[in-house]
Amino acid sequence: MTNTSKKQLEQNIKKPFFSLAPNATVKVSIGKLAFQPIKLLFKNFSSLILLGVPFAILLTLCSMLAGRSSLCNIDSGIISTDFHCSDSVESYYLDVFIRFLLICIFIIKWHQIALNKEKFSLKSICFFTKKDIKGFGFIAAYAVINLLPLVGLLILIMRVPNPNWKIELVFFTCVAWVFLLPLILVRFYSLLAFALENNKLPSLKDLWQRTSGNMLKLLLGTGLIVFIALILFMQYYSFILKITDYSLLTAISVEFEYDFIVILFAACFMNYCHTQKELLYKGDNDVENN
């Protein structure tokens, strides 16, 4: 046996039988991808309170003034003189738009103050730079792409099937690609962290190569955050379904709790983007194949 063959044999023996990323160009830790975003919440707890509470209050005011309290959503038959519930389509879209703007602003300012350790001030909250606008564009693009499967599903439900099976198959195949876009997008979340740090954005080709072999890890990391979010929101709705006191104070407190949970996972999303960037571009040399 030649020396080259011996070396190849030794390398094959050293490789684990099962690996989540056997051919990955950059080795990343699945543990850090999954738990670092949550750890950063506790590490920056003071910033979370300093930023999260005011933004949760603004979100609460927005929904209450638009007549879109969470109590209105769980019971369309509520008739109360204590707080307003609106059935207006215009108020719904206005509420969604303003809430989205507020969440985007929170994500950007969370990165600046909690992750990038910039000094907190009223001016830093109200002042926006080009990199902030760029970050807002990325968040809006992420939101649109993640909502495309819902649009595709509505198209499939509302569309009348074509009698020609060949045409129907082509149409279904084209629409089906939309459902894969959020999964592919997971590999590009670190771009938001680059944009908010005003660094040069890596090429899509370079980012694709660095995430190659780590797809399962990336999905497991995001999956854990989504799973925790679902558990919390399910517990929240099971709680408010038991409420019988439909007063203004109850509506405000319930709405604030909901909005603070939203703020928590907006921060987790930014933490995940930051963690992905750190692991992919700074490396994790201490991590073995998972």
Side-chain angles (χ1 to χ4, degrees):
M1 184 179 293
T2 63
N3 291 334
T4 304
S5 300
K6 287 181 179 179
K7 288 181 180 179
Q8 290 178 347
L9 181 60
E10 289 175 356
Q11 289 175 356
N12 290 333
I13 292 174
K14 289 179 180 180
K15 287 183 178 180
F17 181 73
F18 175 75
S19 174
L20 288 177
N23 301 314
T25 305
V26 178
K27 304 294 183 181
V28 298
S29 167
I30 186 173
K32 287 188 177 181
L33 273 175
F35 298 108
Q36 186 70 8
I38 301 172
K39 182 180 178 181
L40 286 172
L41 281 181
F42 292 98
K43 187 177 179 180
N44 298 284
F45 185 76
S46 59
S47 297
L48 181 64
I49 299 300
L50 196 63
L51 281 173
V53 171
F55 273 94
I57 292 173
L58 289 175
L59 289 172
T60 300
L61 288 174
C62 176
S63 293
M64 293 300 296
L65 292 175
R68 292 291 170 179
S69 166
S70 296
L71 288 182
C72 297
N73 296 331
I74 64 169
D75 187 354
S76 59
I78 290 178
I79 299 176
S80 174
T81 56
D82 294 321
F83 65 98
H84 173 59
C85 289
S86 174
D87 292 329
S88 170
V89 176
E90 290 79 8
S91 68
Y92 170 77
Y93 286 112
L94 180 63
D95 180 47
V96 169
F97 179 72
I98 296 177
R99 286 175 65 86
F100 178 72
L101 286 179
L102 289 172
I103 291 171
C104 287
I105 295 171
F106 169 77
I107 290 174
I108 293 169
K109 298 307 174 182
W110 170 260
H111 178 272
Q112 291 177 356
I113 295 169
L115 303 180
N116 211 30
K117 303 304 179 183
E118 295 182 14
K119 186 178 180 181
F120 175 84
S121 65
L122 187 60
K123 181 180 178 181
S124 66
I125 297 297
C126 301
F127 184 71
F128 294 92
T129 62
K130 288 183 179 180
K131 67 178 180 179
D132 297 335
I133 297 173
K134 188 190 297 184
F136 177 81
F138 272 101
I139 298 171
Y142 289 160
V144 170
I145 293 174
N146 280 306
L147 288 173
L148 283 177
L150 179 60
V151 176
L153 182 62
L154 291 174
I155 291 174
L156 291 175
I157 292 174
M158 297 174 63
R159 182 176 179 271
V160 178
N162 194 301
N164 189 329
W165 68 270
K166 294 182 180 179
I167 297 176
E168 187 66 18
L169 181 61
V170 171
F171 177 82
F172 182 82
T173 303
C174 293
V175 175
W177 278 102
V178 173
F179 293 91
L180 296 177
L181 290 178
L183 299 179
I184 298 173
L185 184 65
V186 171
R187 300 177 69 164
F188 300 98
Y189 278 157
S190 59
L191 287 175
L192 176 60
F194 276 103
L196 291 178
E197 290 180 6
N198 208 23
N199 292 332
K200 181 181 178 181
L201 297 179
S203 66
L204 297 182
K205 180 181 179 181
D206 179 62
L207 193 52
W208 184 266
Q209 290 174 343
R210 286 176 179 268
T211 54
S212 179
N214 291 302
M215 186 64 180
L216 183 55
K217 290 182 178 182
L218 297 174
L219 290 176
L220 289 174
T222 54
L224 178 64
I225 295 174
V226 172
F227 177 75
I228 294 174
L230 288 174
I231 294 296
L232 280 180
F233 279 113
M234 287 173 63
Q235 291 296 321
Y236 168 81
Y237 277 109
S238 66
F239 166 73
I240 65 174
L241 284 172
K242 299 176 183 178
I243 293 176
T244 56
D245 176 24
Y246 293 151
S247 65
L248 178 60
L249 180 60
T250 302
I252 293 174
S253 61
V254 164
E255 186 63 33
F256 176 79
E257 290 168 6
Y258 172 83
D259 292 327
F260 192 74
I261 295 174
V262 171
I263 287 296
L264 281 177
F265 287 98
C268 266
F269 166 73
M270 186 64 249
N271 291 349
Y272 178 82
C273 296
H274 176 78
T275 300
Q276 190 182 110
K277 169 186 170 292
E278 292 294 302
L279 294 179
L280 288 174
Y281 283 87
K282 286 192 175 180
D284 191 7
N285 299 323
D286 297 330
V287 179
E288 297 178 356
N289 290 345
N290 283 243

